[in-house]
Amino acid sequence: MNCAFFVSGRGSNFEAVLKHIKNGDLQIKIPLVVSSSETAAAAETAKSENIEVFYTNKENRQKILDILLARKIDLIVLAGYLKKIPDEIISAFKNKIINIHPSLLPAFGGKGMFGEFVHKAVIERGVKISGLTIHLVDEKYDNGAILFQKAVEVKSADTPSDLAKRILSEEHDSLWRVIKAFSQNRVIINENKAEIVDE
Ligand code: GRF
């Protein structure tokens, strides 16, 4: 399975997936990383692994689809990608784009809900359980069918960054498993619901 990662920043989820490819847990190829930022650490990681990086900007957005098709990409993984995915990519890769989000969707998702904004909102609302969601991507932010969720306790003394750290560590242990399920055809999608079956 050829997987493309879309990134905008740090890329710790991308690194965690690379680790699981290297240790043999996950058998996929990553021929392409698409980065919305010239300075993203994730793009540097990709280059150091000799993975092709395509930097997106307003002018070249139409080219992304051509490159994805040319590199024979089977699955697109949004791992901290902050830009909207053009509709033509969503149509061409229906049910083949996943995103990881640091809350239990549909709570604390949508436009503007990324990074520390999510954890700040969770703590301000007094929510006791947060977590992560890995879901399919459709035309609306954080809206597609849910593939996987994991709960993480919100402690009363948590700052947004404390909570972010605990959730991120669970993200690192979750994303590769969902990618693996795709690579083994263990994902069943039924309209707006999705399910992963055991190995
Ligand atoms: C993660 O918290 C992920 O859930 C969200 O953006 C963050 C990306 O972190 N979509 P990193 O770039 O993978 O370190």
Side-chain angles (χ1 to χ4, degrees), residues 168-185:
L168 192 64
S169 138
E170 296 296 343
E171 291 182 38
H172 295 166
D173 189 45
S174 302
L175 185 56
W176 73 273
R177 296 177 194 277
V178 174
I179 295 171
K180 185 170 183 174
F182 273 91
S183 75
Q184 297 180 330
N185 286 318

Side-chain angles (χ1 to χ4, degrees), residues 4-7 32-37 52-73 76-78 81 83-90 92-93 97:
F5 271 70
F6 280 43
V7 297
L32 179 71
V33 165
V34 172
S35 175
S36 67
S37 157
E52 178 185 3
V53 181
F54 180 79
Y55 294 97
T56 56
N57 54 46
K58 277 192 194 122
E59 287 74 48
N60 68 14
R61 279 179 61 177
Q62 302 91 311
K63 283 195 190 152
I64 309 174
L65 182 56
D66 295 343
I67 295 180
L68 292 167
L69 296 175
R71 300 293 175 270
K72 299 195 175 355
I73 298 301
I76 298 173
V77 179
L78 311 185
Y81 189 67
K83 297 279 182 223
K84 190 116 181 20
I85 302 294
D87 283 353
E88 71 266 19
I89 295 181
I90 292 180
F93 285 82
I97 310 177

